[in-house]
Amino acid sequence: MSTNHNSELVRKIFEAYLENKSLRKTPERFAILEEIYSRDDHFDVETLYIHMKNQKYRVSRATVYNTLELLVSCDLVTKHQFGKNMAQFEKSYGYHQHDHVICIDCGKVVEFCDPRIQQIQSMVGELLKFDIKHHSLNLYGVCFDCAAKASMNSQTAAAGIKHAS
């Protein structure tokens, strides 16, 4: 699906949602939607707010928060809580199911997709007689960069101890 076609569909879904809830269709809400759908990463509210301010959009922090909640409610954005980090978001319309690996040191998030997880989901649903609609799998560890940094720090500390002796 083309990005432009996707943008139009997402906008129409959001318009219909706002109409259905008798909410105002403001330019700021649609600017936030467009900004989110132009991104290919996970983001937090503050990052999105600052980026929009830098792009000269006239939006308040409250508008960003409130619009994100509306977009989550109408399934155009997914909200994640990765460990102790603040909530992160990502666009969700037209994007395949995927899972995440999160670095416990720097907070880096990497997406991955493995068809075996879908097979496990289907099998568990059949065994337990559940109609499973979706799942969330987050794996936590230390990324290569943080592990390398930790290794360098411990080598430096060990060398310092040797020289001090």
Side-chain angles (χ1 to χ4, degrees):
M1 197 179 304
S2 76
T3 305
N4 196 29
H5 181 67
N6 217 6
S7 297
E8 290 172 30
L9 279 173
V10 166
R11 185 180 174 91
K12 285 180 180 169
I13 291 168
F14 192 40
E15 278 181 12
Y17 178 83
L18 293 172
E19 280 178 24
N20 188 36
K21 298 285 184 183
S22 300
L23 298 169
R24 293 182 311 133
K25 294 183 268 182
T26 65
E28 293 82 9
R29 286 178 174 167
F30 290 104
I32 291 166
L33 176 68
E34 280 181 37
E35 181 58 38
I36 291 168
Y37 272 80
S38 72
R39 304 177 73 98
D40 286 319
D41 60 349
H42 296 84
F43 57 91
D44 58 53
V45 175
E46 194 63 19
T47 302
L48 181 60
Y49 170 72
I50 290 168
H51 182 76
M52 296 205 63
K53 288 304 244 183
N54 290 341
Q55 298 294 319
K56 305 295 186 229
Y57 285 106
R58 295 183 58 175
V59 294
S60 68
R61 222 177 238 101
T63 300
V64 173
Y65 271 99
N66 294 334
T67 302
L68 274 170
E69 291 306 317
L70 292 172
L71 292 169
V72 168
S73 295
C74 68
D75 293 325
L76 292 175
V77 170
T78 302
K79 181 178 183 177
H80 298 284
Q81 195 69 45
F82 297 130
K84 296 178 208 124
N85 294 344
M86 67 181 84
Q88 290 196 16
F89 301 85
E90 68 179 325
K91 58 190 173 187
S92 56
Y93 183 82
Y95 292 87
H96 65 279
Q97 171 64 49
H98 61 270
D99 300 292
H100 303 97
V101 179
I102 301 104
C103 179
I104 57 176
D105 287 346
C106 70
K108 177 180 178 181
V109 177
V110 178
E111 296 178 353
F112 71 96
C113 186
D114 187 326
R116 294 172 295 182
I117 295 170
Q118 187 63 41
Q119 293 166 349
I120 292 168
Q121 177 177 305
S122 298
M123 182 182 70
V124 168
E126 284 176 33
L127 282 171
L128 301 176
K129 296 183 179 17
F130 265 76
D131 180 16
I132 298 174
K133 301 295 184 192
H134 57 85
H135 75 271
S136 173
L137 175 63
N138 297 323
L139 304 172
Y140 295 88
V142 178
C143 72
F144 178 81
D145 292 339
C146 289
K149 219 179 286 177
S151 176
M152 289 284 280
N153 289 343
S154 65
Q155 287 174 1
T156 303
I161 290 170
K162 280 184 185 175
H163 290 303
S165 304

